[in-house]
Amino acid sequence: MFVAGTAEPARLRDEIATRFAGAGQVPAYRALMERDGLTSLAQTLVAGDEARVERELESYRSAGATDLLVLPCDSPHERERTLSFLASMAARHPPADVNQG
């Protein structure tokens, strides 16, 4: 999924939709998108301020996800901001030890 700490999530969603429009033509991507009820890779974007990004990513954890593959996007400055935030979030929420209990 694409992730960005940004004040302009709608703009970024439009850019991703345009840039990756051809993904729906690739059978492997199309199958994944259809399985998840998506029509565009832009629908995987988690974007907004840090609080919103954290809430959305935490919703995946609450739903049972144990691993997320994220792609920071937007300008170099925003990517750095997003990577720093994701690192701080990971430090605050270390993965559970699957061998316990």
Side-chain angles (χ1 to χ4, degrees):
M1 76 182 56
F2 298 98
V3 178
T6 182
E8 300 179 278
R11 174 196 54 81
L12 187 55
R13 189 168 279 108
D14 289 345
E15 286 179 17
I16 291 170
T18 300
R19 187 172 181 190
F20 294 96
Q25 305 305 313
V26 178
Y29 279 118
R30 186 173 54 246
L32 287 170
M33 289 167 48
E34 287 174 356
R35 184 191 73 204
D36 292 333
L38 304 176
T39 58
S40 167
L41 288 181
Q43 291 172 285
T44 69
L45 175 64
V46 173
D49 63 19
E50 283 85 352
R52 180 181 180 99
V53 169
E54 184 162 7
R55 276 193 313 273
E56 289 193 41
L57 292 178
E58 282 297 321
S59 72
Y60 286 93
R61 181 194 303 258
S62 297
T66 57
D67 297 293
L68 292 176
L69 177 61
V70 299
L71 177 63
C73 55
D74 211 355
S75 69
H77 172 75
E78 296 296 342
R79 285 193 304 266
E80 184 62 35
R81 173 184 170 191
T82 300
L83 285 171
S84 293
F85 173 71
L86 291 172
S88 72
M89 190 177 163
R92 288 182 281 118
H93 303 284
D97 184 352
V98 295
N99 294 317
Q100 289 183 352

